[in-house]
């Protein structure tokens, strides 16, 4: 039997690949809480508006994006898709709040040559900054340090730092450059600058980068069933996508698929200890001992560390060293349209010294919806205790959210509905040295021949596409 620990999107995905791809005969999924889905949770306001407590959109790009869309197609969720093209306002309008004003980031090549209010210089000037900056040989460094050295402090403070807040609610001065700028860091390390590295890489791969549009790509309609969903996304130029009724439809569909395939999903079932024997794995579950042949853990790294502490303290220590941050989420609904423009939302740089990480304009995804405005205010992150202490009240968080909307968006109306959630330790932080730590974790498991694989947001990406792909890889690792 294969036991999967954790019923979030990565655990459900691991079970999906275990039964649908690896064809494992006996799979059980154990989830400590009373529901599956993890941080993906969609609620409805009294009016029926969707409040997303966690992620709400997914990008279709790259192998990981294609992998997720293949899963969506297999789960027969295509008719529930909300497709947001690159021409949509929430794709083209992305804002940063700085010095008491909202600034629009350029999204076209033409915009890079214009002076933008956020920086008081064109973004193209960053290229000259990079070409003049000396190379510094390093194995890793913070993303803030790297961007400051190569592109300028204004870019580090006003663009990269708020983007990191939006992606992982983290401090760019702590997060590894390999988190989202790995290719740029490698370009500097190999060729002395970002621009030189990208040019050299482009010359080597020019033949591959040429457009290879076939008659099938250009002439076939999206209704043709022979075209995959991933290809439709490319043809229609999707920027992001979501699901009607909320993104929680994805884990719910996964769970339904798994039950039909014979997977035993047990909620309210907590694994308290793992012990690896020569011929089996022993699990202490809700006080009772169970056995299986292999384990796939989608638990947060620090939770898995507790289960391994007794038998593998060195591995436990590596897992425990992966930190995480807490985010407060305020979902707010206002009567009518109270927004100054249609946009994805705005992010707030840490040097503004505000408790807000950013605000998402959820209702801008809806087609011609003016009946109400739904916003999600994200707060805290790496600075949660600084602004809120260990145990903020719902009233305190609601006031912080509405005060922020009043001061930045000039929304003085009271929300007609709201929901407040504190997502404790919800986002792992890929601090400097993270890649090396993850390698040590995998090397330890391999060297000790432990029938264990790990997946989820603690290791190789915090996005939904990343954790789904990590689940697929974990299944491959544990059955090979």
């Amino acid at each position: 039997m294969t036991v999967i620990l954790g019923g979030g999107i990565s655990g459900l995905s691991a079970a999906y690949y275990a039964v649908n791809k690896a064809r494992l005969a006996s799979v059980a999924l154990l989830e400590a809480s009373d529901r599956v889905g993890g941080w993906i949770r969609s609620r409805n306001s009294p009016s029926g508006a969707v409040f997303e407590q966690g992620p709400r959109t997914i990008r279709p790009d790259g192998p990981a994006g294609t992998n997720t869309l293949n899963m969506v197609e297999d789960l027969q969720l295509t008719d529930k898709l909300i497709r947001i093209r690159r021409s949509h306002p929430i794709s083209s309008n992305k804002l940063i709040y700085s010095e008491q004003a909202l600034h629009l980031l350029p999204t076209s090549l033409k915009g890079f040559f214009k002076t933008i209010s956020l920086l008081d210089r064109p973004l193209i000037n960053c290229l000259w900054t990079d070409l003049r900056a000396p190379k510094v040989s390093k194995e890793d460094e913070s993303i803030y340090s790297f961007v400051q050295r190569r592109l300028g402090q204004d870019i580090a403070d006003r663009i990269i730092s708020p983007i990191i807040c939006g992606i992982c609610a983290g401090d760019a001065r702590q997060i590894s450059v390999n988190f989202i700028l790995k290719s740029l860091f490698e370009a500097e390390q190999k060729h002395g600058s970002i621009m030189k590295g990208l040019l050299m890489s482009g010359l080597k791969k020019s033949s591959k980068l040429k457009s290879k549009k076939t008659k099938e790509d250009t002439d076939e309609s999206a209704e043709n069933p022979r075209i995959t969903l991933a290809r439709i996304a490319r043809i229609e130029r999707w920027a992001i996508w979501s699901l009607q009724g909320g993104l929680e439809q994805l884990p719910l569909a996964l769970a339904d698929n798994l039950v039909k395939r014979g997977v035993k999903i047990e909620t309210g079932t907590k694994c308290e200890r793992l012990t690896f024997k020569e011929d089996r794995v022993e699990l202490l579950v809700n006080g009772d001992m169970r056995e299986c042949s292999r384990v796939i853990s989608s638990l947060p790294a620090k939770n898995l560390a507790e289960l391994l502490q007794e038998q593998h303290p060195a591995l436990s220590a590596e897992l425990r060293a992966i930190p995480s941050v807490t985010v407060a989420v305020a979902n707010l609904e206002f009567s009518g349209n109270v927004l100054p423009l249609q946009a994805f939302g705005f992010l707030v740089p840490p040097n503004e010294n505000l408790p807000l990480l950013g605000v998402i304009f959820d209702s801008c995804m809806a087609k011609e919806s003016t009946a109400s405005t739904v916003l999600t205010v994200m707060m805290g992150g790496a600075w949660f205790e600084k602004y809120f202490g260990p145990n903020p009240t719902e009233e305190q968080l609601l006031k912080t959210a509405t005060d922020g909307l009043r001061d930045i968006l000039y929304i003085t109306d009271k929300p007609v509905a709201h929901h407040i959630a504190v997502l404790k330790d919800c986002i792992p932080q890929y601090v400097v040295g993270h890649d090396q730590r993850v390698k040590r974790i995998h090397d330890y498991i391999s060297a000790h021949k432990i029938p264990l694989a790990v997946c989820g947001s603690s290791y190789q990406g915090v996005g939904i596409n990343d954790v789904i792909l990590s689940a697929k890889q974990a299944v491959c690792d544990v059955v090979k």
Side-chain angles (χ1 to χ4, degrees):
M1 171 180 277
T2 300
V3 169
I4 296 170
L5 302 179
I9 189 65
S10 54
L12 292 167
S13 298
Y16 169 84
Y17 290 117
V19 297
N20 287 284
K21 306 301 180 184
R23 308 295 182 187
L24 298 182
S26 182
V27 177
L29 184 148
L30 311 182
E31 166 57 42
S33 75
D34 61 357
R35 58 176 289 276
V36 297
W39 300 118
I40 302 177
R41 189 161 194 173
S42 309
R43 301 173 182 270
N44 288 109
S45 75
S47 72
V50 176
F51 283 172
E52 293 284 17
Q53 185 172 292
R56 71 221 47 230
T57 59
I58 302 177
R59 293 184 179 278
D61 307 320
T66 295
N67 182 67
T68 301
L69 286 173
N70 290 342
M71 173 188 283
V72 166
E73 195 165 19
D74 185 51
L75 294 172
Q76 299 181 354
L77 288 171
T78 305
D79 60 341
K80 292 186 178 182
L81 277 170
I82 300 173
R83 313 170 190 210
I84 304 296
R85 301 192 184 195
R86 297 186 187 279
S87 57
H88 194 285
I90 72 168
S91 177
S92 56
N93 294 338
K94 294 174 182 173
L95 306 161
I96 288 179
Y97 179 75
S98 179
E99 297 182 347
Q100 300 184 324
L102 288 171
H103 305 267
L104 192 64
L105 289 176
T107 55
S108 67
L109 182 61
K110 184 178 179 181
F112 280 79
F113 289 89
K114 294 182 178 180
T115 298
I116 61 174
S117 59
L118 185 63
L119 300 177
D120 296 324
R121 63 166 172 150
L123 276 175
I124 196 71
N125 283 8
C126 299
L127 303 183
W128 308 119
T129 305
D130 169 61
L131 290 171
R132 291 195 304 266
K135 172 188 174 182
V136 178
S137 297
K138 292 186 176 184
E139 186 176 25
D140 197 2
E141 70 177 307
S142 77
I143 195 168
Y144 183 94
S145 171
F146 173 74
V147 172
Q148 182 186 40
R149 285 194 303 102
R150 300 234 59 93
L151 303 176
Q153 186 169 344
D154 55 348
I155 302 293
D157 281 333
R158 298 183 183 182
I159 295 182
I160 290 300
S161 288
I163 286 175
I164 293 298
C165 287
I167 295 175
C168 69
D171 185 349
R173 296 174 184 270
Q174 305 295 326
I175 301 298
S176 168
V177 67
N178 291 315
F179 177 51
I180 59 169
L181 296 183
K182 188 180 185 72
S183 62
L184 302 189
F185 181 65
E186 290 178 343
E188 181 207 29
Q189 295 302 302
K190 291 179 181 178
H191 302 285
S193 82
I194 295 172
M195 276 304 300
K196 290 177 183 177
L198 293 180
L199 287 171
M200 291 297 294
S201 177
L203 289 172
K204 290 179 180 178
K205 298 178 181 178
S206 60
S207 61
K208 295 181 181 179
L209 293 176
K210 288 180 181 178
S211 176
K212 294 182 179 180
K213 292 182 179 180
T214 64
K215 190 175 187 298
E216 181 182 44
D217 287 327
T218 56
D219 294 344
E220 290 184 328
S221 69
E223 287 73 26
N224 191 324
R226 291 177 296 169
I227 305 180
T228 66
L229 192 56
R231 182 176 293 172
I232 292 173
R234 291 193 295 273
I235 294 172
E236 296 183 352
R237 293 178 55 79
W238 298 4
I240 52 176
W241 59 269
S242 188
L243 294 170
Q244 297 171 18
L247 203 57
E248 192 174 0
Q249 296 300 314
L250 177 56
L252 291 178
L254 270 171
D256 184 60
N257 176 276
L258 296 174
V259 170
K260 290 177 181 177
R261 296 298 300 268
V263 175
K264 187 177 182 182
I265 298 178
E266 302 179 53
T267 56
T269 307
K270 183 178 181 179
C271 180
E272 298 159 341
R273 189 175 67 244
L274 285 173
T275 306
F276 298 94
K277 304 289 187 178
E278 286 188 9
D279 59 344
R280 67 189 186 281
V281 184
E282 293 181 350
L283 305 89
L284 184 64
V285 178
N286 288 359
D288 297 324
M289 193 63 68
R290 300 191 190 184
E291 294 182 357
C292 68
S293 56
R294 61 179 74 89
V295 171
I296 299 174
S297 173
S298 70
L299 301 175
K302 71 171 189 175
N303 292 18
L304 178 59
E306 295 177 7
L307 307 184
L308 301 174
Q309 174 61 43
E310 186 175 325
Q311 188 179 21
H312 294 285
L315 177 58
S316 178
E318 292 282 17
L319 292 163
R320 192 175 289 109
I322 299 174
S324 56
V325 297
T326 296
V327 177
V329 176
N331 302 113
L332 306 171
E333 182 179 12
F334 297 89
S335 180
N337 180 18
V338 298
L339 289 172
L341 78 166
Q342 296 285 294
F344 186 83
F346 66 86
L347 297 170
V348 181
N351 62 7
E352 290 294 314
N353 294 311
L354 295 175
L356 273 61
L357 299 167
V359 177
I360 300 171
F361 300 176
D362 295 284
S363 52
C364 289
M365 286 183 58
K367 293 182 179 178
E368 306 299 327
S369 176
T370 58
S372 69
T373 301
V374 178
L375 306 175
T376 299
V377 183
M378 302 172 294
M379 300 170 282
W383 305 271
F384 187 88
E385 290 214 8
K386 171 185 175 181
Y387 290 113
F388 301 114
N391 297 299
T393 64
E394 180 176 321
E395 291 75 16
Q396 178 185 357
L397 295 170
L398 177 61
K399 185 178 187 305
T400 300
T402 54
D403 285 352
L405 295 179
R406 179 199 63 209
D407 296 341
I408 298 173
L409 296 177
Y410 307 106
I411 298 174
T412 57
D413 297 358
K414 290 185 178 180
V416 296
H418 72 272
H419 183 267
I420 307 294
V422 175
L423 311 183
K424 185 171 176 56
D425 295 328
C426 62
I427 309 181
Q429 301 293 284
Y430 292 12
V431 298
V432 174
H434 178 81
D435 281 3
Q436 293 82 1
R437 174 167 288 111
V438 171
K439 183 179 185 303
R440 291 195 297 271
I441 288 169
H442 285 295
D443 287 348
Y444 184 101
I445 293 171
S446 178
H448 290 78
K449 295 182 171 57
I450 304 173
L452 168 71
V454 296
C455 61
S457 59
S458 292
Y459 308 103
Q460 294 176 335
V462 300
I464 292 177
N465 288 331
D466 300 318
V467 300
I468 291 175
L469 193 60
S470 78
K472 188 176 186 179
Q473 183 60 51
V475 172
C476 294
D477 291 344
V478 84
V479 299
K480 63 184 179 181

